[in-house]
Amino acid sequence: MGSITGIVVIIIGILASVALHEVGHMLPAKKFGVLVPDYAVGFGPALWKKKIGDTTYALRAILVGGYVKIVGMYAPARPGTRLVGRRGKVTLAQEAREASAEEIPQGQEHRAFYLLSAPKKITVMLCGPLMNLLICFVLSAVTMVGIGAPAASRTIASVSATIQTSEGEIASPAYEAGVRPGDTVLAWNGTPIETFAQFQRAVGATPEGESAVLTVGRDGTTVDLTVTPVTGARGARYVGVTAGYEYVSASLTDVLQADWQMFTGTASVIVRLPQAVWQVGRSVVTDEQRDATGVVSVVGVGRMAGEVTGDSAALGLRDTRQVVGALLSLLASLNMALFVFNLIPLPPLDGGHILGAVYEGVRRQVASLRGKEDPGPADTARLVPLTWAVGGVLIVMSFILIVADIVKPISLS
């Protein structure tokens, strides 16, 4: 496989992840009766589109993401709200309210998003990130349970003719004893051997100069061979064989533990994201080394995928099965990053909308408990200036990471 293969796979994987993220928003919104007029993969001119029910589904030319249009995101201004700024211009918040109102077709006003209860709003906004979490779990399960991890097997892959010791090069004990590639280690001095690691420990525990009976499986029969381990140049005990490998599947419990570790690791990176991006930017304009475990953009992820398929041997990936597992692991970690990142409680991220819905729910509940009039939907349009500010910061951070991944990329090797 060449580098292009990995890059193409990761691009398709990212598009699918974003598309399913938007599906996560769309399905509960439609379930709750909200009007969802558009769902698209990509931006720009439509290559294909079809209207089903109220929603037009489209595949667009610029495949850099996707979106779902949910009408009526912002509630109308409450009486007494300032609609015009100091210079006589309509405020950004009011512009957002008006644009939101214009999206709603006549006679469909009851299907606006802002009319949903707070729990339903939270559900709609949370299901997008939860879709990425689900994708992460599925990919992790396929990788760890379906593909498995390579582990040394009891089958002998090769037998060295000689071994280097502190006294020089000598004949390999296994070679002299008649061990052959393809033999399966069954027992050492009568003790059954279940793993190659157990075999290594048994060899290491054999006293200097003593021989042992190695029982191997060969062509459907068992063969007993007398082997005398020697001490290699590094002080360890050897017989001169190399293990083959086999794939061992993990349990779903292992998958959950691995995903939890991925979550906590990703969350710790997100918490210090501004500092991490600053360090990346500084490394670009100075001779400072870039942190090999630091943050990367989608360009960096693509480069890593290219390494996986283009230089798999240098990364210690033995076969196509391991390469596929590595690519799926990259996509799993990317989806975990999308899950955690989108939960940041700032607009325009999903976490910002969730926080607004939580505020609305708490405010309405407090008013109910105090016997006061329902205050109605929260005026989240007032956060539009913050939305623009956060969006600008995210664009700058993305630009820094993309430039860094081009001029000073992180290499898996």
Side-chain angles (χ1 to χ4, degrees):
M1 283 188 249
S3 299
I4 297 299
T5 302
I7 295 172
V8 170
V9 168
I10 215 71
I11 289 174
I12 294 173
I14 291 172
L15 280 173
S17 299
V18 173
L20 289 172
H21 174 99
E22 300 302 335
V23 168
H25 290 310
M26 179 181 68
L27 293 181
K30 292 172 75 72
K31 176 68 175 178
F32 297 147
V34 177
L35 181 61
V36 182
D38 293 296
Y39 171 85
V41 175
F43 298 91
L47 302 176
W48 169 89
K49 63 180 179 179
K50 183 175 182 179
K51 187 170 184 178
I52 302 176
D54 295 323
T55 307
T56 298
Y57 299 87
L59 176 65
R60 299 189 177 276
I62 306 174
L63 298 175
V64 292
Y67 68 92
V68 60
K69 186 175 183 180
I70 299 175
V71 302
M73 291 295 293
Y74 296 119
R78 293 194 296 270
T81 301
R82 190 179 71 176
L83 307 181
V84 179
R86 295 178 181 177
R87 298 183 179 180
K89 293 184 178 180
V90 175
T91 62
L92 288 175
Q94 181 57 20
E95 286 182 354
R97 296 186 194 101
E98 291 174 357
S100 179
E102 290 173 0
E103 293 175 347
I104 307 173
Q106 188 174 3
Q108 299 289 323
E109 291 82 3
H110 62 288
R111 300 181 67 185
F113 174 80
Y114 74 84
L115 292 175
L116 292 180
S117 65
K120 289 182 178 180
K121 288 180 180 177
I122 293 171
T123 300
V124 171
M125 302 316 300
L126 186 58
C127 280
L130 285 179
M131 181 66 80
N132 293 119
L133 182 62
L134 176 61
I135 294 170
C136 175
F137 175 77
V138 170
L139 292 177
S140 297
V142 170
T143 302
M144 297 176 64
V145 180
I147 295 176
S153 71
R154 293 181 301 161
T155 301
I156 304 301
S158 63
V159 180
S160 301
T162 60
I163 287 181
Q164 190 68 36
T165 70
S166 57
E167 299 177 356
E169 191 174 58
I170 64 171
S172 158
Y175 184 81
E176 286 193 323
V179 179
R180 301 176 186 174
D183 286 350
T184 300
V185 176
L186 300 177
W188 181 263
N189 268 344
T191 301
I193 298 296
E194 302 296 333
T195 65
F196 192 78
Q198 182 188 359
F199 172 58
Q200 290 176 307
R201 290 193 296 270
V203 170
T206 304
E208 181 78 31
E210 285 194 14
S211 298
V213 177
L214 170 63
T215 303
V216 299
R218 179 185 298 169
D219 299 329
T221 62
T222 58
V223 179
D224 289 334
L225 304 169
T226 301
V227 184
T228 306
V230 296
T231 302
R234 297 182 179 180
R237 307 278 285 150
Y238 295 101
V239 294
V241 297
T242 302
Y245 68 94
E246 59 187 354
Y247 284 90
V248 179
S249 294
S251 67
L252 287 178
T253 301
D254 294 329
V255 175
L256 290 172
Q257 290 175 343
D259 283 350
W260 173 252
Q261 291 176 351
M262 194 189 304
F263 168 76
T264 55
T266 304
S268 67
V269 171
I270 295 297
V271 167
R272 55 183 179 84
L273 185 59
Q275 177 187 359
V277 174
W278 171 260
Q279 291 173 341
V280 171
R282 191 172 59 192
S283 71
V284 171
V285 297
T286 66
D287 293 331
E288 182 179 332
Q289 285 293 322
R290 188 173 173 186
D291 182 3
T293 61
V295 291
V296 296
S297 69
V298 291
V299 173
V301 175
R303 293 188 71 124
M304 291 178 184
E307 278 190 74
V308 167
T309 56
D311 200 13
S312 56
L315 298 177
L317 303 176
R318 295 183 174 93
D319 53 26
T320 302
R321 188 169 175 174
Q322 264 194 287
V323 170
V324 172
L327 289 175
L328 293 181
S329 294
L330 269 178
L331 283 172
S333 62
L334 178 65
N335 274 276
M336 179 60 79
L338 288 172
F339 168 69
V340 177
F341 181 74
N342 273 288
L343 290 182
I344 295 175
L346 290 172
L349 301 173
D350 295 329
H353 293 289
I354 292 170
L355 183 62
V358 170
Y359 165 74
E360 175 185 313
V362 170
R363 193 177 63 147
R364 284 181 145 176
Q365 188 64 33
V366 170
S368 175
L369 292 174
R370 298 176 66 180
K372 294 188 175 183
E373 182 182 354
D374 183 358
D379 187 11
T380 53
R382 298 172 67 179
L383 297 176
V384 168
L386 177 60
T387 300
W388 281 95
V390 173
V393 170
L394 293 178
I395 290 173
V396 171
M397 293 171 69
S398 298
F399 177 77
I400 292 172
L401 291 177
I402 289 172
V403 170
D405 287 333
I406 293 173
V407 303
K408 205 170 188 177
I410 292 176
S411 174
L412 292 175
S413 58

